[in-house]
Amino acid sequence: MVQAVLKATSSLDSQRHARMEVLKEKVEEEEAAEREEAAERAERGEKTKRPMEVRRGETTMTQEMLRDLERKLSEIEVSVPEKILTFTKDTIDTSKLPLSYQSNTLKEEHLLQVADNFSRQYSHLCPDRVPLFLHPLNECEVPKFVSTTIRPTLMPYPELYNWDTCAQFISDFLSMVPLPDPLKPPLYLYSSTTVLKYQKGNCFDFSTLLCSMLIGAGYDAYCVNGYGSRDLCYMDLTREVCPLTMKPKETVKEEEKAPPKKYAIKPPRDLTSRFEQEQEMKRQEAIKAEEENRRKQEEARLLEQENAKTDPLHGLRVHSWVLVLSGKREVPESFFIDPFTARSYSTQDDHFLGIESLWNHKNYWVNMQDCWNCCKELVFDLGDPVRWEYLLLGTDKPFLSLTEEEDEGMNDDDDVENLGKEDEDKSFDMPPSWVEQIEISPEAFETRCPNGKKVIQYKRAKLEKWAPYLNNNGLVCRLTTYEDLELHSYKSMQPEMDRVMEFYETARVDGLIKREETPKTMTEYYHGRPDFLSYRHVNFGPRMKKLALNSAESNPRPMVKITERFFRNPAKPADEDVAERVFLIAEERIQLRYHCRSDHITANKREFLRRMEVDSKGNKIIMTPDMCISFEVEPMEHTKKLLYQYEAMMKLKNEEKLSRHQAWESELEVLEILKLREEEEEAHTLTISIYDTKRNEKSKEYREAMERVLHEEHLRQVEAQLDYLAPFLAQLPPGEKLTRWQAVRLKEECLNDFKQRLIDKANLIQARFEKETQELQKKQQWYQENQVTLTPEDEDLYLSYCSQAMFRIRILEQRLSRHKELAPLKYLALEEKLYKDPRLVELLKVFV
Amino acid sequence: MNRLYDMEPRVMDDEMLKLAVGEQGPREEAGQLAKQEGILFKDVLSLQLDFQNILRIDNLWQFESLQKLQLDNNIIEKIEGLENLTHLVWLDLSFNNIEAIEGLDTLVNLEDLSLFNNRISKIDSLDALVKLQVLSLGNNHIGNLMNVIYLRRFKALRTLSLSGNPVAEDEDYKMFICAYLPDLVYLDFRRLDDHMKELAEMKHQYSIDELKHRENLVQARLEDEQARREELEEHKAAFVEQLNGTFLFDSMYTEDVEGSKLSHLPGVGELLEAYKDKFVIICLNIFEYGLKQQEKRKAELDNFMECVQEAIQENQEQGKLKIAKFEEKHLLSLNAIREESELSNIEAKIVQYSEDITELFNVLMTLEMQLMEQLEETINMFERNIIDLVGLFVENVQSLMAQCRDLENHHHEKLLEIAINILEKIVKGEMDEDLPDDVRSLFVDKDTIVNAVGASHDIHLLKIDNREDELVTRVNSWCTHLLDKIHKDEIMRNRKRVKEINQYIDHVQSELDSLECGDLLD
């Protein structure tokens, strides 16, 4: 069959060759190096060693590239071998796996033969192409055909019904292990059972699992074996923008211009020279162009920096992902899913560099199209044997679009040739999967990520996810965004660092809205204060060294400058209403700027120098005109007076003190808030839904109690159903009807037996009672004898023993008397019951 | 009172006031400064002149901004000389010999008035004190409890003392005051509790209700009058006041003796009635047209003002921006100059800085010149439009008034006809009806009656002409005044702005100069 198909498509060999050649071109040098190195590796038998290590010096790389590569290499080497070591088949416990894992059925054997045959023909026809990825070994060292490794399963969780959430789950649930050899498909392909158990896998494991689930959910999904970019293969998202940080673009509303009014003034006459304008324009344009140029260069440089130096193995890195074809589940257009990141890509995306083959649970197709332009020109019409070479014929073949006449003619030919083999082999279809049903326990489903934690590095962002209830503060997701690409430390809870606090102004007496802090400044914004303060900015100086060590607790930073701004106070005229005052504490200077009157363009200003001076006679100069420099738009008489200025200055001095105090209090408040926040953050208690019976303590108790009650109820029922006649009936020959005599004897025996048991029980209680009493007497005797020599502890022991013994004796006494009371009643009750027993009732009634 | 007679009464002279001001002025360091500079009476806020044996309040006119004045324990007999102290909030005239409350009509800001221990017998003349909160009238001669009702008009009054008056001995004294002054909180320095107030209210409910009713009526009447006055003002502003009725028509006949006599003639009554109807309709037309035109003018004016304001605002914003930018730079350059040590550099920087100042000056002045030109253009446009509007209004009113005149002429002719007919009848002796004697006396001969009718006609025409003239002159003068004001305001604005700019530049320049001086000294 395969041969026939290949024959039919052999006309396309040239095309196939062309593709191979392209690939080859791409490879050339690298591949040569690769082979050499592979040989070396084979010699050493090192499976896990990365090929790049040996590449140094072979290609003409700049020193920088080399260093970069080295860095990358070291990065990879830190993580990779470790992971691989922990996930080779040695670490997998295969003993508990079912038989289907450990051996092949006849049908599977047959399939393997078919596959081998196909592979041979393929390598014959396309000697340049890489051998097909058909039947890797599973965890039990048994070769299994890839299609049978897919086990379509519909998961019981509604969240896994759609492809996006499903892929997201798998990407979270499994941790990624790179391929042992990035240039070759793996030798092993484990079952999803194992992959889920160890929560680890390479891209093939990921896509097999995802494919199983998607097919189970009704998607037309395929595993793809192909070539991906470096980022894709290493799940490197550091060059991608985090989807959470993308914001919808805000629509900018254009303000409607009001129609000009009747008396609107005309714009000033334009007196500038047109020529000059043009010259200026030209000049500006030149500058702009230059700037643009520079900017572009800069951008290109940045881009280059950001985009890693071109990957030397570009186009050779093997990757596996999932293809979802349109048609089923209302998928409008075919797309790729990268199982590592759970992101969907268009089939044209740059990250996907080529496809070797793809398969689902029913069939296997080899790509016969040229991938010179990545996957951009691939047609995913799997029914087209020219483009896609299939392994098995006829098994639910995807549609073939027959749109063109030519195609039809060609296909007719194919059909003629295909006719014979269809008869021959149509009966053969893909054997059922050897993998067990995919199962994910609810716990595992909820925990999601391995150990419940996952960190993804995006470009300028870090996304951390945790399983619910893993963190006791309830944190499940944290997105950290960075301004640049460097690493950062995060110190929000430390005082005197960059921080913005926002407040509800209505909840605060002082009307504080926002407080911004940087290491050297503190800015506060107010609203709705009776003193109209709107803004306070404090500059701090460096902290002075403490002279006295003993009072180490508070050493506030000295304030250098306080700037305060005020809203307009409507009760005051504008030129007496301070708009801004600046206390330059270090310089002993106070600057005032007043509000601007509505018909003015300048505002009053005043500056006070607080310097105290002494005149030639040694008298203190209280106030001199040069201590207050003021500018007044409309000079007023009274403000010229020294007395006025002096009083104003005294008032300001007081206010400066107040402002300093307030700033100091703000600092204290910050400390307090931080402390409080810290305490709050430590003292998280999560409210757990009462339906979550596993985590909610009360619900848990309640449920356990319910279960206990049910269990007891059950026991009681079992007891109630206990057949007291059974042991006696068993003595009789089975299947025979009871005679009257037998019935009477049965009854007698049963009653006697019960009587005996009652007596035994009474005796038992009696015996225990006597034993306890004797022991107590003995003890008492011992006490009597040794009373003098006893330590207080011993005496205490003795006393506690006595009281306990007395208690036991009393209880036994009570039990005995109760038993004596109840025994006759029980006896009578049994007799009554026996009389009514349906098996005896007939016989006994007659007898009575 | 013997305490007062053992000393000579003193005169409130300059010396005494200076002394008091000096003693009560600021202390310590501020006091030294005050002494250095001297304190002007008009800056004094508080003055204490107790136990000075003052007989007559005098020489206080300079204390314009005084807020608190204590004149207690003197021998003042008459409240006077306080007219200028309009900022007064606190006035103490206790322990004097005042007999009547007077001379407080200008003290609208007064909140606390003490007239304790005087000889006042009637609460009166406090109407101007709308902000009064505390009134102390204890130890006086007030004898009529009903006098307290006078205090109901002070809505802010919370504290009252009347103890030591004859009224306080009335057994109903407290209840009465409680009932009639329900907003009072303290009486004779004691708090009035709610229980007391309730009791008092119940006791005097009837009389108070009646009083309230009366007060409400008065209030309503006042409001009505106010509304009417406002309406009339509005009509006046439209120059068509009292044209919305028969006022003009009636006024034509008030001074017209002959006309009223003639109206008794048979047939004239109906004629007059018809004439009046038509006349009033035209008047109404004028009135409505006037209101409409007024609205139009107002809208025009508002529009204009708004645009001018916007233009000015925008210009100011630009100016402010320029200044703000300059100031930013200014601070930097001042500091730079201060810190610079190289002399040549200093000079260069100073030169640079003064260039900046000149630049700012030029920019600001250009802005202002620009605005001025723009506004001038707009104002001229407005002027044209408003003059057109007024012209149109006058023209239309005149044509309507001409209609009035036509009516009058028509009426005159008819009247003349009737009068001549009657005269003929009388002459022929065919007159059946009796005419009043004074009317009959007109029908002596043709000349007399024609003259009489003519005189009436002339008076009517004169009235109409007068009204027309009044309207036209007023609207024209309004127009010229408005335009004058707009021009003047603009000129004022311009001058103020130029002055402001100059001042600012001077200030900045002087700052630079002082820096230079300082540097030179260094």
Side-chain angles (χ1 to χ4, degrees):
Chain A
M1 173 209 96
V2 175
Q3 195 156 25
V5 175
L6 287 177
K7 228 183 274 169
T9 53
S10 59
S11 60
L12 291 160
D13 270 359
S14 53
Q15 195 188 329
R16 214 176 259 170
H17 281 295
R19 193 189 94 79
M20 306 291 166
E21 254 158 271
V22 172
L23 266 180
K24 209 169 142 193
E25 252 174 75
K26 269 194 223 162
V27 178
E28 278 208 299
E29 215 177 329
E30 276 94 347
E31 198 157 38
E34 201 58 45
R35 279 202 203 106
E36 229 169 88
E37 191 251 325
E40 246 174 81
R41 195 171 59 217
E43 272 171 35
R44 274 180 285 159
E46 277 179 3
K47 225 191 245 176
T48 56
K49 201 78 178 175
R50 296 204 46 79
M52 278 191 277
E53 200 183 32
V54 225
R55 300 190 71 262
R56 248 176 284 148
E58 288 195 355
T59 42
T60 51
M61 281 192 289
T62 64
Q63 200 63 26
E64 204 175 306
M65 273 171 80
L66 207 73
R67 224 178 294 126
D68 190 61
L69 197 67
E70 241 176 26
R71 187 174 53 77
K72 227 176 271 166
L73 201 71
S74 59
E75 249 171 49
I76 295 160
E77 274 195 325
V78 170
S79 57
V80 172
E82 180 195 24
K83 275 186 186 167
I84 287 172
L85 278 177
T86 52
F87 197 55
T88 48
K89 85 177 187 348
D90 307 337
T91 58
I92 298 168
D93 178 16
T94 53
S95 58
K96 282 179 190 152
L97 291 171
L99 197 64
S100 66
Y101 286 59
Q102 324 232 10
S103 61
N104 274 324
T105 60
L106 276 178
K107 210 172 172 192
E108 281 176 304
E109 293 286 356
H110 187 194
L111 178 67
L112 290 177
Q113 279 170 20
V114 171
D116 277 336
N117 189 20
F118 181 81
S119 172
R120 267 198 297 282
Q121 297 193 29
Y122 173 77
S123 55
H124 177 69
L125 284 170
C126 313
D128 302 337
R129 285 186 66 168
V130 183
L132 289 171
F133 182 66
L134 282 171
H135 41 68
L137 302 175
N138 76 354
E139 55 267 49
C140 305
E141 303 270 12
V142 180
K144 293 284 186 183
F145 191 68
V146 283
S147 288
T148 55
T149 313
I150 293 176
R151 175 70 154 101
T153 316
L154 177 60
M155 302 308 291
Y157 308 106
E159 204 188 307
L160 300 186
Y161 188 63
N162 289 326
W163 68 264
D164 45 352
T165 43
C166 186
Q168 190 61 55
F169 171 74
I170 289 173
S171 123
D172 287 347
F173 192 76
L174 303 181
S175 47
M176 171 272 204
V177 177
L179 288 174
D181 181 347
L183 305 178
K184 277 181 188 163
L187 287 175
Y188 290 87
L189 180 65
Y190 304 143
S191 68
S192 299
T193 325
T194 309
V195 171
L196 283 174
K197 189 174 164 197
Y198 292 93
Q199 293 201 341
K200 266 181 216 149
N202 57 33
C203 51
F204 284 87
D205 298 324
F206 269 72
S207 53
T208 304
L209 178 60
L210 179 58
C211 212
S212 304
M213 279 156 77
L214 288 181
I215 293 171
Y219 286 98
D220 193 8
Y222 302 84
C223 278
V224 179
N225 168 24
Y227 303 95
S229 68
R230 190 192 167 278
D231 290 351
L232 213 56
C233 297
Y234 290 110
M235 201 178 161
D236 186 357
L237 286 170
T238 47
R239 254 169 278 150
E240 301 286 333
V241 177
C242 174
L244 290 178
T245 55
M246 286 194 229
K247 284 175 196 142
K249 273 191 183 171
E250 277 173 46
T251 47
V252 184
K253 261 191 196 171
E254 260 185 53
E255 263 181 52
E256 270 183 42
K257 249 191 166 177
K261 286 177 187 147
K262 195 175 172 184
Y263 291 110
I265 52 157
K266 296 189 176 62
R269 221 169 293 153
D270 191 7
L271 296 174
T272 50
S273 137
R274 190 77 46 86
F275 175 74
E276 270 177 20
Q277 260 179 7
E278 272 167 21
Q279 290 301 316
E280 177 68 17
M281 207 107 90
K282 273 181 199 163
R283 208 168 55 83
Q284 291 288 346
E285 258 167 33
I287 290 171
K288 218 182 253 175
E290 201 178 306
E291 261 175 21
E292 183 78 4
N293 213 353
R294 207 179 310 139
R295 204 171 52 78
K296 265 185 192 162
Q297 278 176 6
E298 183 76 2
E299 235 168 53
R301 200 177 56 79
L302 271 177
L303 208 69
E304 217 168 283
Q305 229 170 37
E306 276 183 23
N307 281 338
K309 336 300 157 203
T310 40
D311 185 11
L313 296 178
H314 187 77
L316 291 175
R317 294 182 185 275
V318 170
H319 190 56
S320 174
W321 63 94
V322 172
L323 161 73
V324 178
L325 285 187
S326 61
K328 287 189 180 173
R329 286 287 309 269
E330 295 174 354
V331 176
E333 213 174 320
S334 305
F335 61 94
F336 292 147
I337 305 173
D338 177 34
F340 281 162
T341 55
R343 286 164 69 124
S344 68
Y345 295 89
S346 103
T347 52
Q348 325 271 311
D349 200 274
D350 286 332
H351 288 294
F352 300 94
L353 305 170
I355 294 180
E356 277 294 333
S357 58
L358 49 84
W359 63 93
N360 64 2
H361 59 303
K362 287 185 174 159
N363 209 343
Y364 189 96
W365 291 266
V366 182
N367 179 25
M368 290 299 174
Q369 298 167 73
D370 196 347
C371 291
W372 66 272
N373 191 11
C374 305
C375 293
K376 279 176 190 161
E377 287 176 10
L378 290 190
V379 179
F380 293 98
D381 178 6
L382 299 180
D384 185 349
V386 178
R387 297 194 168 104
W388 295 96
E389 191 74 64
Y390 51 85
L391 177 80
L392 297 182
L393 182 75
T395 45
D396 193 17
K397 192 165 78 175
F399 52 87
L400 165 63
S401 53
L402 303 167
T403 42
E404 283 170 60
E405 282 292 309
E406 276 175 78
D407 268 359
E408 205 159 356
M410 249 170 69
N411 281 319
D412 279 346
D413 291 345
D414 292 345
D415 282 348
V416 171
E417 273 172 281
N418 286 352
L419 269 177
K421 63 157 195 247
E422 258 178 55
D423 286 339
E424 205 180 307
D425 252 322
K426 193 170 183 180
S427 57
F428 188 79
D429 54 0
M430 193 63 76
S433 174
W434 53 275
V435 181
E436 296 243 293
Q437 275 241 325
I438 297 169
E439 269 177 12
I440 300 168
S441 68
E443 286 86 6
F445 178 68
E446 201 185 59
T447 315
R448 270 185 105 101
C449 316
N451 300 325
K453 191 184 176 207
K454 181 151 188 156
V455 182
I456 306 168
Q457 284 283 358
Y458 287 103
K459 181 181 187 178
R460 291 174 195 170
K462 185 167 90 173
L463 183 67
E464 290 160 282
K465 293 179 186 175
W466 289 273
Y469 304 110
L470 183 74
N471 287 330
N472 49 7
N473 59 4
L475 189 64
V476 290
C477 182
R478 175 161 70 199
L479 177 71
T480 321
T481 52
Y482 304 107
E483 285 289 318
D484 48 34
L485 300 167
E486 302 300 313
L487 276 174
H488 292 265
S489 63
Y490 180 60
K491 305 180 187 168
S492 84
M493 291 308 260
Q494 258 153 51
E496 294 166 26
M497 293 307 285
D498 291 301
R499 186 185 311 104
V500 180
M501 287 184 184
E502 285 184 22
F503 299 88
Y504 294 104
E505 48 166 314
T506 45
R508 289 187 66 101
V509 190
D510 61 358
L512 184 66
I513 303 173
K514 200 161 86 167
R515 181 181 288 137
E516 290 174 355
E517 283 172 278
T518 65
K520 287 254 156 158
T521 65
M522 177 166 71
T523 316
E524 292 171 312
Y525 298 87
Y526 295 92
H527 189 260
R529 280 171 68 104
D531 61 357
F532 296 94
L533 181 70
S534 66
Y535 169 97
R536 178 183 289 132
H537 180 89
V538 186
N539 289 58
F540 295 102
R543 193 170 259 130
M544 306 246 224
K545 269 192 184 158
K546 268 259 138 146
L547 293 173
L549 284 167
N550 47 1
S551 61
E553 44 180 66
S554 86
N555 178 17
R557 295 168 291 175
M559 293 172 210
V560 175
K561 181 177 163 191
I562 302 178
T563 311
E564 289 175 322
R565 289 188 194 141
F566 296 85
F567 290 121
R568 178 86 180 79
N569 179 358
K572 280 187 193 169
D575 42 9
E576 287 173 33
D577 191 12
V578 177
E580 187 185 66
R581 68 182 181 205
V582 182
F583 299 112
L584 293 158
I585 294 164
E587 296 175 46
E588 294 205 320
R589 200 201 290 258
I590 302 169
Q591 291 170 336
L592 295 183
R593 192 169 54 76
Y594 289 79
H595 279 284
C596 187
R597 244 165 67 169
S598 64
D599 54 346
H600 283 160
I601 52 171
T602 53
N604 287 359
K605 280 189 296 187
R606 208 158 273 157
E607 184 168 350
F608 293 96
L609 287 165
R610 275 190 22 189
R611 251 168 253 143
M612 283 294 172
E613 281 171 29
V614 175
D615 70 2
S616 51
K617 289 174 193 162
N619 292 329
K620 205 163 72 175
I621 294 176
I622 303 157
M623 188 79 204
T624 51
D626 58 342
M627 281 167 83
C628 170
I629 304 162
S630 58
F631 165 68
E632 280 171 7
V633 183
E634 279 181 10
M636 285 177 283
E637 196 57 39
H638 70 280
T639 54
K640 285 225 173 67
K641 290 220 160 188
L642 281 179
L643 180 62
Y644 173 86
Q645 292 170 357
Y646 175 77
E647 278 172 350
M649 194 165 89
M650 287 300 128
K651 218 169 124 193
L652 281 170
K653 266 184 176 174
N654 273 334
E655 273 163 7
E656 182 184 318
K657 251 180 233 162
L658 268 179
S659 289
R660 277 163 72 172
H661 182 75
Q662 276 166 0
W664 177 72
E665 274 186 345
S666 289
E667 271 191 285
L668 284 191
E669 195 192 53
V670 168
L671 289 180
E672 204 168 306
I673 289 174
L674 289 180
K675 210 173 116 197
L676 202 69
R677 289 284 300 156
E678 217 162 305
E679 277 170 16
E680 274 173 4
E681 250 161 49
E682 271 165 16
H684 275 299
T685 45
L686 298 179
T687 30
I688 296 165
S689 158
I690 53 160
Y691 300 109
D692 194 345
T693 47
K694 250 184 294 167
R695 294 210 180 77
N696 190 316
E697 280 303 317
K698 266 190 191 167
S699 285
K700 194 174 172 183
E701 270 170 33
Y702 181 70
R703 193 195 57 175
E704 277 170 1
M706 285 289 281
E707 275 173 2
R708 209 164 38 240
V709 166
L710 269 177
H711 185 69
E712 280 167 9
E713 186 74 10
H714 181 71
L715 279 181
R716 209 167 298 139
Q717 272 178 9
V718 167
E719 205 172 325
Q721 284 165 2
L722 217 58
D723 191 358
Y724 32 80
L725 283 176
F728 306 102
L729 279 170
Q731 292 171 6
L732 298 171
E736 271 179 51
K737 219 172 170 268
L738 286 173
T739 62
R740 186 186 300 168
W741 175 80
Q742 274 174 327
V744 173
R745 261 211 52 191
L746 204 63
K747 192 193 110 190
E748 290 289 309
E749 266 177 28
C750 186
L751 282 176
N752 279 337
D753 188 62
F754 186 62
K755 197 194 272 173
Q756 193 55 51
R757 271 181 59 194
L758 287 174
I759 292 164
D760 283 352
K761 196 174 173 189
N763 284 339
L764 190 68
I765 296 170
Q766 182 71 35
R768 277 192 197 154
F769 173 71
E770 276 165 12
K771 192 181 156 215
E772 281 290 343
T773 326
Q774 269 178 8
E775 253 173 53
L776 182 65
Q777 274 171 355
K778 257 189 209 161
K779 200 84 178 175
Q780 277 171 338
Q781 213 171 349
W782 169 82
Y783 177 71
Q784 297 281 342
E785 282 165 13
N786 299 316
Q787 202 173 3
V788 196
T789 56
L790 275 181
T791 61
E793 288 96 53
D794 287 341
E795 207 167 314
D796 279 351
L797 267 176
Y798 165 75
L799 284 176
S800 71
Y801 168 79
C802 275
S803 68
Q804 275 173 20
M806 289 301 285
F807 173 75
R808 280 198 295 272
I809 289 166
R810 213 163 37 245
I811 291 297
L812 284 171
E813 227 169 15
Q814 274 176 15
R815 278 176 69 183
L816 191 60
S817 65
R818 207 173 116 84
H819 185 69
K820 276 178 183 163
E821 252 173 56
L822 287 178
L825 295 177
K826 276 184 185 165
Y827 185 75
L828 284 176
L830 181 66
E831 198 174 5
E832 182 88 24
K833 247 184 193 167
L834 286 175
Y835 269 123
K836 286 181 184 161
D837 193 286
R839 287 164 294 191
L840 304 175
V841 70
E842 287 294 311
L843 307 165
L844 292 176
K845 210 187 267 175
V846 183
F847 178 71
V848 173
Chain B
M1 299 272 168
N2 50 3
R3 68 194 157 90
L4 302 174
Y5 295 109
D6 51 7
M7 273 172 80
E8 279 283 300
R10 283 180 60 187
V11 182
M12 280 175 78
D13 49 12
D14 218 37
E15 203 177 316
M16 175 192 205
L17 291 171
K18 260 186 190 157
L19 194 69
V21 167
E23 274 176 2
Q24 293 156 34
R27 305 259 138 245
E28 293 169 25
E29 295 180 348
Q32 286 181 26
L33 281 177
K35 229 182 245 172
Q36 260 179 47
E37 289 187 309
I39 303 169
L40 290 178
F41 284 172
K42 68 182 173 72
D43 293 336
V44 175
L45 295 180
S46 152
L47 186 61
Q48 191 178 351
L49 289 168
D50 49 353
F51 299 104
Q52 302 282 347
N53 251 4
I54 297 167
L55 182 63
R56 190 159 174 270
I57 308 170
D58 205 355
N59 270 330
L60 283 176
W61 55 272
Q62 283 188 79
F63 291 84
E64 283 164 5
S65 42
L66 200 65
Q67 288 180 356
K68 182 173 172 181
L69 176 60
Q70 281 167 278
L71 282 168
D72 53 308
N73 294 294
N74 286 298
I75 48 172
I76 298 164
E77 288 172 354
K78 188 172 181 231
I79 309 174
E80 59 191 335
L82 301 174
E83 294 79 13
N84 265 2
L85 315 185
T86 48
H87 290 101
L88 215 54
V89 174
W90 212 92
L91 177 60
D92 191 349
L93 283 168
S94 53
F95 297 98
N96 278 297
N97 298 333
I98 298 163
E99 287 180 356
I101 304 174
E102 60 192 323
L104 300 173
D105 295 336
T106 51
L107 308 185
V108 286
N109 287 313
L110 204 62
E111 287 175 8
D112 191 320
L113 175 62
S114 176
L115 289 166
F116 195 82
N117 206 346
N118 278 291
R119 299 172 190 172
I120 296 162
S121 52
K122 187 163 184 255
I123 312 173
D124 202 359
S125 305
L126 291 168
D127 295 28
L129 280 50
V130 284
K131 293 183 184 169
L132 195 64
Q133 286 176 10
V134 181
L135 178 61
S136 173
L137 277 169
N139 279 0
N140 274 294
H141 301 325
I142 298 162
N144 188 357
L145 202 52
M146 299 311 273
N147 201 189
V148 173
I149 297 176
Y150 174 78
L151 296 175
R152 271 177 79 82
R153 69 195 63 195
F154 302 109
K155 301 294 175 206
L157 188 67
R158 295 290 175 271
T159 306
L160 175 68
S161 78
L162 277 173
S163 62
N165 279 295
V167 283
E169 275 142 44
D170 193 317
E171 59 182 66
D172 196 25
Y173 162 73
K174 210 167 173 182
M175 281 283 180
F176 186 87
I177 289 176
C178 258
Y180 280 86
L181 302 174
D183 291 333
L184 206 64
V185 181
Y186 298 97
L187 176 64
D188 297 333
F189 313 109
R190 275 190 205 158
R191 199 185 155 86
L192 295 170
D193 55 49
D194 292 342
H195 178 64
M196 179 78 162
K197 281 186 185 173
E198 264 169 44
L199 278 181
E201 202 188 323
M202 273 199 290
K203 194 172 171 189
H204 293 273
Q205 198 174 5
Y206 287 111
S207 44
I208 284 182
D209 282 353
E210 210 188 308
L211 189 70
K212 269 188 188 160
H213 181 65
R214 270 207 308 278
E215 280 174 356
N216 283 346
L217 281 183
V218 170
Q219 185 67 27
R221 211 170 50 232
L222 279 177
E223 274 168 19
D224 263 9
E225 224 164 81
Q226 181 71 21
R228 225 165 319 133
R229 251 204 314 275
E230 273 167 19
E231 204 186 23
L232 190 66
E233 277 310 307
E234 212 176 285
H235 297 165
K236 267 190 182 159
F239 316 108
V240 290
E241 73 277 6
Q242 288 171 339
L243 283 175
N244 56 340
T246 58
F247 184 82
L248 181 56
F249 189 82
D250 292 345
S251 79
M252 288 185 345
Y253 279 87
T254 42
E255 288 167 38
D256 178 11
V257 191
E258 283 84 5
S260 49
K261 279 180 196 164
L262 288 169
S263 64
H264 294 293
L265 294 177
V268 174
E270 293 93 71
L271 191 70
L272 206 59
E273 209 54 39
Y275 170 45
K276 187 177 176 180
D277 285 351
K278 282 181 189 165
F279 192 89
V280 168
I281 286 172
I282 293 173
C283 278
L284 273 178
N285 277 344
I286 297 174
F287 176 74
E288 268 158 29
Y289 179 69
L291 286 190
K292 244 183 248 165
Q293 282 295 312
Q294 158 72 2
E295 245 164 60
K296 256 190 182 174
R297 287 194 298 266
K298 197 164 172 287
E300 197 78 9
L301 183 62
D302 286 350
N303 190 348
F304 167 73
M305 286 299 183
E306 198 183 322
C307 289
V308 167
Q309 270 315 308
E310 267 174 28
I312 293 174
Q313 278 304 326
E314 201 181 315
N315 192 279
Q316 281 182 359
E317 288 308 317
Q318 282 182 27
K320 277 183 200 170
L321 203 73
K322 296 267 190 275
I323 290 176
K325 268 186 193 159
F326 171 79
E327 274 187 5
E328 230 170 80
K329 207 175 156 193
H330 154 88
L331 257 181
L332 289 178
S333 35
L334 272 189
N335 281 340
I337 293 173
R338 269 196 204 110
E339 273 154 31
E340 189 62 64
S341 51
E342 198 81 26
L343 200 67
S344 57
N345 281 351
I346 291 179
E347 253 161 40
K349 272 183 180 161
I350 286 174
V351 169
Q352 167 70 30
Y353 186 47
S354 27
E355 266 170 24
D356 281 349
I357 295 173
T358 325
E359 164 84 20
L360 178 73
F361 178 73
N362 286 338
V363 165
L364 292 178
M365 283 311 258
T366 317
L367 267 179
E368 174 53 27
M369 292 311 287
Q370 214 176 59
L371 180 68
M372 204 187 75
E373 270 170 30
Q374 288 167 331
L375 286 182
E376 204 173 78
E377 206 172 320
T378 308
I379 289 171
N380 287 338
M381 190 164 79
F382 174 71
E383 191 172 340
R384 277 198 301 279
N385 285 343
I386 201 82
I387 286 174
D388 283 357
L389 259 183
V390 168
L392 187 74
F393 175 59
V394 168
E395 214 170 277
N396 280 326
V397 167
Q398 275 170 345
S399 84
L400 283 169
M401 283 294 191
Q403 279 182 32
C404 283
R405 249 175 252 128
D406 285 352
L407 269 185
E408 173 54 33
N409 288 338
H410 184 69
H411 176 72
H412 170 65
E413 275 164 30
K414 282 267 176 80
L415 190 65
L416 201 59
E417 205 177 301
I418 290 172
I420 288 173
N421 276 347
I422 288 173
L423 183 69
E424 278 169 14
K425 272 185 192 170
I426 289 172
V427 170
K428 285 175 191 165
E430 284 170 10
M431 191 66 189
D432 307 330
E433 294 155 75
D434 281 335
L435 288 170
D437 286 347
D438 54 343
V439 178
R440 189 167 270 276
S441 66
L442 290 174
F443 292 92
V444 185
D445 51 24
K446 199 178 173 185
D447 281 352
T448 321
I449 188 68
V450 169
N451 279 345
V453 173
S456 162
H457 179 52
D458 287 347
I459 288 177
H460 293 174
L461 283 182
L462 187 70
K463 279 279 169 193
I464 294 173
D465 286 351
N466 280 350
R467 185 68 187 86
E468 189 185 323
D469 283 353
E470 190 201 338
L471 189 146
V472 171
T473 28
R474 262 174 56 202
V475 74
N476 279 331
S477 79
W478 171 81
C479 186
T480 30
H481 271 123
L482 177 71
L483 293 174
D484 267 6
K485 190 173 172 297
I486 288 172
H487 281 296
K488 259 186 206 152
D489 283 356
E490 166 55 18
I491 291 167
M492 281 300 291
R493 190 200 62 76
N494 172 251
R495 287 194 183 155
K496 252 169 87 177
R497 176 59 35 81
V498 171
K499 189 177 151 210
E500 191 187 340
I501 294 170
N502 276 314
Q503 246 171 9
Y504 184 73
I505 296 297
D506 286 353
H507 168 73
V508 177
Q509 191 68 51
S510 77
E511 254 181 321
L512 178 65
D513 290 348
S514 72
L515 201 68
E516 274 180 77
C517 290
D519 277 340
L520 285 179
L521 284 179
D522 286 346

